Amino acid sequence: MRNVPGRDERADRRALSEALVAACADAGASIGMLYLPAPDPARRVLHLTLASGLSREFAAPWSRVGLDDPIPVADAVRDGRLVWLGGQEDTARRYPRLGLVLPYDFALAAAPLPPTGAGLLLLWPGSHEPDLDERERKALESARGHLTHVLLRAADEGRPLRPAPRPVILRPLPPPTPGPAEAAAAMAFVRRLPGGNCALDLNGTITFITQEAADLLGAPVSRLRGALPWEALPWMDTPAVENHYRAAAMSRLPRSFTTPRPTGQQVRFDLYPDNTGISVRITTGSDQPDAPAPAPPGSADPSAPSRATALYPLMLLAATLTEAAHAQDVVEKAADQIVPSLGAHAMALLAEQDGRVRVVGHRGYSAQHMADLDGTPVSADTASTHILRTATPLFFGGIDELLAAHPDAAIEDGMAAWAFLPLIASNRPVGCLVLAYTHPRTFAPGERAVLTSIAGLIAQALDRARLYDATHQLARSLQTGLLPHTLPAVPGLEVAARYLPAAHGLDVGGDFYDLIRIDDTTVAAAIGDVQGHNVNAAALMGQVRTAVHAGAGAPPEEVLARTNRLLTDLEPGLFTSCLYVHIDLAGHTARLASAGHPPPLLRHPGGRTEMLDLPSGLLLGIVPKTSYAAVEIPLAPGALLALYTDGLVEAPGRDIEEAIGAVAARIGDAPEDHPLGDLADELIEHAHRDAPRTDDIALLLLRIQGPVPPADPHRS
């Protein structure tokens, strides 16, 4: 059953709508857009909820924006700052993807609405000055306050506003309505003008046209009124013509162009846009003696999508997929663009593995439907398996067509038309793209060509991403395989360790940690970081761990010196930081030596936490004959020693001593009996929430417990 908003929720949405329209009017902006966060914060997605001053077609490709996407509103919300773009050149330089798919002249401001997680986007005409003036800034701040108030009030009253399935397109404030006499005078004025005149709304639909204009276009008024020019007139169905309209609608600047009719006669169009639509003046040019013959009747299908309309999502998708690293990224980015742009209701990406269908990802389909499909033998008689076997596209405009071809097809409720498209990369099939629609449709030749092109873009991205995923997994397996699977249980010592790979990138690092039980009352701990992020670094990390194990039990300064000699003999071309700790549990002391590693943190019983000032020796692997100094410290019962790699504390633009101090404060604030594993998780989570991390993190926490039992003389 459809969920109908209650009266209070409708009032909240109406208040948001009024605030957005008012914001555009007060700031002199031509377009306004309000984004709300996804109900599930883990998805990190913004949904376009309200838009004013632009068509639904323009809004559709931007209806979902990932918080990590290089898009102004995402940057504004994620970083909590105002993003201002002063014009086309500024946009192209700072946001190349946006500049590619919207190469028009406009100014833009994106602002966060904390603490709601929402974002406000305002656009001004291309004639705007490079900077916001004081009036516009005040209007923007007022709008942010008003919108935030509505969102917080709704949340406080137990009805937080959620994104709608599709953005609501608001009408801008209408101009004053003329009286009968004024309207008659205006019509007389229009008819006296030479040439023809018509008006388009912001969707591009013809809302008014004179007979003279219809004559120049070669079509009756009844066919043109209420239609898009490039759909009603096949000879105007070119990317260039529609792009002129898009440029005028986005920039709100006058624009002129000339295009030939099928007769060869040149027709000139002068576009004059404002916030309510576009006025168009149509005049004739000179005849062209060598003009091509008119296209035969029926050569173009008016129901097919225009080529410019097709070009727009193709450009956007191509730009978006260049940033997809993993297979799931391809699914998310393709679904974000295709589903809203092309009117599809659901999408699935399928691949073949070991003779069976595997679901790579989906959007709009139920999880149960996809689970039933996953694992289907490729030899089965279904539309999807037919594509995987033959790489031949299939289009079904209705349920009867699908069942006629595949009587046993499983049809999910609400689906009424389908496109099954092969994914072909480097002349070989890599999978199948399934698009489903909620209403029967005719897949005209133009639309089939568009969908086939889109499938080609996705195939290339998916093939690249799956290779990336396979290589990435291999590298990760190498790295994690070299780390200890379990740490030894040592009486009198509580231990927690964490390793977290960097959030992005194929290369792996050489971060490591280790705990070595020497005897019943003595243990050694080590942590280190091999320079670089590649498979060589991970392999060298294994050699460093082996060398440290071989020397365990000797004084820390000797362990580091021996390990250094081994590494310089290997000549790996990589350097390693390392911290080695020898802990005497019976004597409650620890002896530490460092080879250029970040300083450890010591929490004393009672909570006081300090950064240990150790002599920082040279990194391992640089100079063969290097000596290291060790420091001995007391470790009373209850003391906690924190060893970590620089990924925990280093972030772009962040002072490292300040970051280490923040970690020390969190350790010091933890309760005495706080589980060590929970504290380790909290430190990792804080590091990721505090700033973007580009390096791996290794963390080893050691807490001294009560009196250590005496050594067992019979234990070998």
Side-chain angles (χ1 to χ4, degrees), residues 145-317:
H146 194 173
L147 291 165
T148 301
H149 172 72
V150 174
L151 292 171
L152 292 179
R153 182 186 63 193
D156 291 342
E157 295 176 1
R159 51 176 193 279
L161 290 171
R162 306 297 189 191
R166 300 178 66 194
V168 176
I169 307 300
L170 306 174
R171 294 175 178 267
L173 295 175
T177 303
E182 188 179 2
M187 285 298 300
F189 168 78
V190 170
R191 291 194 179 97
R192 285 193 294 268
L193 292 174
N197 298 278
C198 72
L200 312 177
D201 63 16
L202 292 175
N203 293 313
T205 303
I206 299 174
T207 57
F208 166 82
I209 186 166
T210 63
Q211 184 61 53
E212 293 81 2
D215 292 341
L216 288 171
L217 297 176
V221 170
S222 59
R223 192 170 105 199
L224 295 172
R225 188 182 295 124
L228 296 171
W230 41 88
E231 290 186 358
L233 302 165
W235 57 274
M236 291 188 69
D237 183 16
T238 68
V241 169
E242 191 174 351
N243 187 61
H244 286 299
Y245 154 72
R246 289 180 177 275
M250 287 297 295
S251 69
R252 300 294 203 263
L253 296 176
R255 196 175 184 89
S256 299
F257 66 95
T258 301
T259 190
R261 286 183 53 184
T263 60
Q265 184 183 48
Q266 292 286 338
V267 182
R268 176 184 172 90
F269 297 84
D270 297 294
L271 282 60
Y272 301 96
D274 69 3
N275 289 344
T276 62
I278 302 176
S279 297
V280 184
R281 177 98 181 278
I282 306 172
T283 54
T284 60
S286 60
D287 291 339
Q288 299 294 318
D290 298 325
S299 61
D301 181 359
S303 66
S306 73
R307 279 165 285 179
T309 301
L311 184 63
Y312 182 66
L314 273 173
M315 290 175 60
L316 185 59
L317 181 63

Side-chain angles (χ1 to χ4, degrees), residues 634-645:
L635 283 182
L640 187 156
L641 193 62
L643 316 181
Y644 54 91
T645 56

Side-chain angles (χ1 to χ4, degrees), residues 211-543:
Q211 184 61 53
E212 293 81 2
D215 292 341
L216 288 171
L217 297 176
V221 170
S222 59
R223 192 170 105 199
L224 295 172
R225 188 182 295 124
L228 296 171
W230 41 88
E231 290 186 358
L233 302 165
W235 57 274
M236 291 188 69
D237 183 16
T238 68
V241 169
E242 191 174 351
N243 187 61
H244 286 299
Y245 154 72
R246 289 180 177 275
M250 287 297 295
S251 69
R252 300 294 203 263
L253 296 176
R255 196 175 184 89
S256 299
F257 66 95
T258 301
T259 190
R261 286 183 53 184
T263 60
Q265 184 183 48
Q266 292 286 338
V267 182
R268 176 184 172 90
F269 297 84
D270 297 294
L271 282 60
Y272 301 96
D274 69 3
N275 289 344
T276 62
I278 302 176
S279 297
V280 184
R281 177 98 181 278
I282 306 172
T283 54
T284 60
S286 60
D287 291 339
Q288 299 294 318
D290 298 325
S299 61
D301 181 359
S303 66
S306 73
R307 279 165 285 179
T309 301
L311 184 63
Y312 182 66
L314 273 173
M315 290 175 60
L316 185 59
L317 181 63
T320 301
L321 288 179
T322 60
E323 299 164 2
H326 302 279
Q328 195 56 40
D329 293 340
V330 174
V331 175
E332 293 295 326
K333 292 181 181 297
D336 287 347
Q337 302 303 332
I338 291 176
V339 174
S341 296
L342 300 180
H345 177 75
M347 185 204 84
L349 284 181
L350 313 176
E352 177 187 356
Q353 182 179 346
D354 300 326
R356 294 187 176 272
V357 176
R358 294 302 175 193
V359 178
V360 180
H362 62 93
R363 172 78 60 77
Y365 277 111
S366 69
Q368 184 59 52
H369 186 79
M370 289 292 100
D372 293 342
L373 176 61
D374 194 56
T376 301
V378 174
S379 59
D381 183 20
T382 70
S384 302
T385 55
H386 176 86
I387 300 298
L388 293 173
R389 290 195 308 268
T390 67
T392 303
L394 295 175
F395 299 91
F396 301 102
I399 294 177
D400 292 342
E401 290 183 27
L402 176 60
L403 293 178
H406 302 282
D408 297 328
I411 299 175
E412 185 161 1
D413 290 345
M415 305 301 181
W418 297 264
F420 295 86
L421 303 154
L423 301 177
I424 300 175
S426 301
N427 295 320
R428 59 184 179 83
V430 298
C432 171
L433 167 65
V434 183
L435 295 174
Y437 302 80
T438 55
H439 296 90
R441 65 191 292 118
T442 299
F443 291 96
E447 185 175 10
R448 295 186 182 207
V450 170
L451 296 178
T452 301
S453 298
I454 286 175
L457 290 175
I458 294 174
Q460 295 173 20
L462 182 62
D463 191 44
R464 183 178 65 247
R466 293 178 73 188
L467 177 62
Y468 181 102
D469 285 341
T471 309
H472 188 265
Q473 182 58 41
L474 179 63
R476 288 291 181 208
S477 297
L478 169 64
Q479 183 180 36
T480 55
L482 293 172
L483 291 170
H485 295 292
T486 58
L487 296 177
V490 180
L493 185 67
E494 183 184 359
V495 181
R498 297 291 184 270
Y499 169 74
L500 194 69
H504 67 280
L506 168 64
D507 293 335
V508 294
D511 291 26
F512 68 92
Y513 61 85
D514 214 340
L515 187 68
I516 308 163
R517 183 168 179 170
I518 298 171
D519 57 36
D520 287 347
T521 61
T522 310
V523 66
I527 195 164
D529 184 0
V530 178
Q531 175 197 44
H533 287 80
N534 50 44
V535 174
N536 292 336
L540 182 61
M541 174 262 283
Q543 294 173 313

